[in-house]
Structures are given as C-alpha cells and as structure tokens.
Amino acid sequence: MANVAYQAILLLLLVFLSKEAIGFNDVKNSFPNFPPTAIFAFGDSLSDTGNGMQAFPFNMPSENLPYGSTYFHAPTGRFSDGRLIIDFIASHVPTAKAFEDGTYMISVSVNDILSRLLDQRLPPSVVNVTTVPQVVNAISEALRDLHKEGAKNFLIFNIPAVGCTPKVLTLASKGQFNSTDKLGCLEEYNALARKGNKDLELALTLLVKKDLININITVADMYSFHIDAIKSPGDYGFNASETLEACCGYGGPFNYSPLITCGQNSEVKVCSNPGEYISWDGLHFTDAFNQKFVDEMMDGMHYLKPIA
Ligand SMILES: *[C@@H]1O[C@H](CO)[C@@H](O)[C@H](O)[C@H]1NC(C)=O
Ligand SMILES: *[C@@H]1O[C@H](CO)[C@@H](O)[C@H](O)[C@H]1NC(C)=O
Ligand SMILES: *[C@@H]1O[C@H](CO)[C@@H](O)[C@H](O)[C@H]1NC(C)=O
Ligand SMILES: *[C@@H]1O[C@H](CO)[C@@H](O)[C@H](O)[C@H]1NC(C)=O
C-alpha cells in the first residue's frame, strides 16, 4: 500500500525555466529559497504537466478538450483548463542551477486518499488511521531519498479541502458522512484533510529536528487557500455562486456527474467563464485558481510555512 503511494509520488516531472516575471523581493528577504532557482516536482495529477499522457496514451481524459482550452487552446495532459501551480512557479524561476540548488516540489497524492474514500467506500475515520499515515510516510521517505542524493530545499503542497470539491460533494453527500459546514463543504472529509496536513507537518518537523541536517522544508498551504477562496471568492475574482461547482461537468448541484465527466464525454458542458471558477473538472483546479494561489505565495509569504 505504502508502495503504491510512493510510486505515485515518484512520477517525475522536469522543469523548464524562464526568465520573466520577477517581483518577489519581500519574499526573498524572509525566505531566500523562494522562489526557487530550479524546480523538480513529484506529485500526482495535480502537478502532472503531461507525464500521465505520455505514460498511458489514450487513457487520460486530460488528453482531450476541453482540458487546456483556456490557456494552451489544446489539451496538454494537464488536469486543468490551463496552467498548473508548477507552471506559475516555474515562470518566476530566474535561472537554472545545479541539481543541489534546485527546489523539490512534492504534492500529497490526493488520489490515493480519494480512491479509498470514494471507490472502496471506507469511512473517513478508517482512512485517517490507514491511508493517511501511509501517504505521510511516503512523503517522508521520498524526502529522505532525495536528501540523500543531495537535495536540500523542498516545497511540499498539503492536501486541499477535498470536502469542498464538486466530485466529493456529489458522491459523498448521498452517503453516511454527509454533514456539511457553513461553507457547504463536507465536514468529515475536510477534517480528514486537516488531520493529514497536521500529521504531515509533524512528520516533517521531526525530519528536520531529528534526522536530516542541512535541509529547508516549506509547506505550501493549499488547504487554507482553498478554504479562503471559498470564504471570500470576490477577493480573488471568483464568482460567489460557483465556488462549489465545477466549470466542466454535466449538471447537478455541483455540476459534476460521475457518468459524464470532463474530457471523456462530448455531452459535457463547459462554463463560459472558467476564470471565475475554483474547480475545473470537479477535482482539479482551474488555471485561475492556480495562478491566484501562486500570486498569494509570491506576495509576502502567504500560505508558505517554513518547517523549523
Ligand atoms: C480518526 O477519526 C475518528 C472518527 O472521526 C476519530 O475518532 C479518531 O480519533 C481519528 N483518529 C485519529 C488518529 O485522529
Ligand atoms: C446522511 O447520513 C445519515 C447518517 O449519518 C443518513 O441517515 C442519511 O440517510 C444520509 N442522507 C442521505 C441523503 O443519504
Ligand atoms: C536554508 O535557508 C536558509 C535561509 O532561510 C539559508 O541560509 C540556508 O543556506 C538554507 N540551507 C540550505 C541547506 O540550503
Ligand atoms: C455569477 O454566477 C451566476 C450564476 O452562474 C450568474 O448569474 C452571475 O451573473 C455571476 N456573477 C458575476 C458577477 O459574474
């Protein structure tokens, strides 16, 4: 099981460096390693810039339109209408440097957790003591391995508010764990994400304090930004009436249908204003959300938590 999570994390993505868009001196002063000088990313479909498409051709919805339609005007294998967080961060990276100077981005494999909850229908109270610790361990192990190879700087993306995603809202609202909070999100699923994120920070703190010397780890707090975007959509240009709806989907209260999903069926409907949506396809984020998140991170350390 842990092996599965580990392999999911080790889908390697390489990154492309550009010299544009520099404007992060505030951040630089308080955190010299952000923005990073080079990026190496490990993650799941939230950070896959096309590896899935190359590894499993003709199997991924993300190789079909309307994926990619907002920014690239063609599918690229990215699970979004446009760019991913990693693309926006890469656009801030000034120059390529040696392997050791790079920053390694790792995102928690949300797919592992969701498949236990939604496909295997395990209760959140079981997943919190089984899959979540495995995923946290897998990240610690990946970090140890990379550190052994000379990597020193890490940016770890935590688990977003899965209980606010159209896919989970649609599938789990009919189940036993259907209580919602005042934002309309599923309480138990978000509690699971918070628990995983707390465990992750604890594990990373132990690594820094006890095991690994000469290392910098920062957590990028996806969970908090996701919640803040739903709480105050207007602050980020999102439409308040669409915070829990997918842009690309097939009706229902959250514009998500498990039978007719984005990129897999031509009957799917795409919103005309993806820039006002948080969710692109029910699970993955829009180009707009990813851009706003990186903007926030670049702007004075919001949502960046150095582990000391
Ligand atoms: C897992 O969830 C259950 C039910 O919400 C809770 O009672 C239990 O304390 C949780 N376990 C941990 C380790 O947080
Ligand atoms: C919500 O969950 C409760 C049990 O926690 C269950 O009795 C009820 O049927 C569920 N509601 C729906 C719509 O499935
Ligand atoms: C970690 O970051 C600090 C500044 O926050 C920097 O001085 C130090 O060189 C970095 N360590 C490594 C191993 O890169
Ligand atoms: C927000 O979305 C609603 C429903 O889709 C729409 O009626 C409204 O015009 C939108 N508001 C803005 C400011 O675009």
Side-chain angles (χ1 to χ4, degrees):
M1 218 45 64
N3 236 349
V4 175
Y6 189 66
Q7 279 163 14
I9 287 164
L10 290 182
L11 251 182
L12 180 76
L13 316 170
L14 241 239
V15 182
F16 29 111
L17 307 149
S18 91
K19 293 196 169 75
E20 27 168 325
I22 301 173
F24 31 69
N25 286 327
D26 299 352
V27 182
K28 257 200 163 130
N29 294 337
S30 44
F31 179 37
N33 294 308
F34 196 85
T37 49
I39 303 169
F40 306 90
F42 302 86
D44 54 13
S45 55
L46 290 171
S47 59
D48 186 352
T49 53
N51 292 53
M53 184 160 102
Q54 274 158 29
F56 313 102
F58 310 113
N59 267 322
M60 308 283 278
S62 61
E63 40 182 306
N64 303 319
L65 280 170
Y67 283 93
S69 55
T70 300
Y71 185 75
F72 300 104
H73 308 297
T76 64
R78 285 169 174 79
F79 279 89
S80 177
D81 56 318
R83 294 154 290 178
L84 306 179
I85 287 167
I86 184 176
D87 295 311
F88 288 108
I89 291 182
S91 76
H92 287 267
V93 172
T95 48
K97 286 261 184 78
F99 191 70
E100 306 86 69
D101 291 335
T103 287
Y104 291 75
M105 304 200 331
I106 298 176
S107 54
V108 175
S109 184
V110 177
N111 290 339
D112 286 333
I113 295 171
L114 288 186
S115 83
R116 303 295 185 274
L117 291 168
L118 302 175
D119 303 337
Q120 298 176 19
R121 295 178 189 279
L122 296 176
S125 59
V126 169
V127 174
N128 74 351
V129 291
T130 55
T131 316
V132 164
Q134 285 167 355
V135 167
V136 168
N137 271 337
I139 291 191
S140 299
E141 285 310 307
L143 231 128
R144 257 181 222 284
D145 287 354
L146 290 164
H147 184 259
K148 212 187 284 170
E149 301 299 323
K152 294 190 188 103
N153 299 300
F154 295 90
L155 184 61
I156 316 286
F157 289 81
N158 70 8
I159 306 170
V162 288
C164 304
T165 59
K167 178 175 179 170
V168 174
L169 281 163
T170 302
L171 298 178
S173 291
K174 298 186 192 86
Q176 202 187 338
F177 308 100
N178 54 23
S179 52
T180 53
D181 61 18
K182 60 182 191 303
L183 296 175
C185 302
L186 289 164
E187 242 159 33
E188 266 126 325
Y189 292 82
N190 276 354
L192 179 69
R194 284 195 302 273
K195 154 96 167 78
N197 289 340
K198 218 169 129 199
D199 287 358
L200 178 66
E201 281 185 40
L202 203 62
L204 297 175
T205 304
L206 284 178
L207 273 184
V208 169
K209 287 226 158 93
K210 292 220 158 113
D211 291 344
L212 307 179
I213 51 161
N214 214 6
I215 188 169
N216 283 318
I217 304 176
T218 300
V219 169
D221 195 354
M222 282 275 264
Y223 183 93
S224 296
F225 182 64
H226 193 182
I227 292 287
D228 288 349
I230 292 168
K231 259 188 201 155
S232 317
D235 292 359
Y236 307 100
F238 302 124
N239 186 325
S241 57
E242 292 154 348
T243 54
L244 302 179
E245 284 172 43
C247 165
C248 181
Y250 193 70
F254 310 105
N255 194 34
Y256 180 88
S257 160
L259 299 176
I260 302 182
T261 56
C262 193
Q264 282 179 323
N265 193 304
S266 54
E267 283 171 63
V268 88
K269 298 184 195 83
V270 191
C271 69
S272 58
N273 50 344
E276 294 175 11
Y277 281 73
I278 291 170
S279 182
W280 164 242
D281 60 4
L283 180 59
H284 304 98
F285 297 109
T286 56
D287 180 280
F289 177 93
N290 292 332
Q291 178 160 34
K292 293 287 169 3
F293 185 33
V294 174
D295 284 352
E296 287 294 316
M297 286 195 282
M298 295 287 169
D299 179 18
M301 293 288 287
H302 292 141
Y303 305 109
L304 287 175
K305 301 160 94 177
I307 300 283

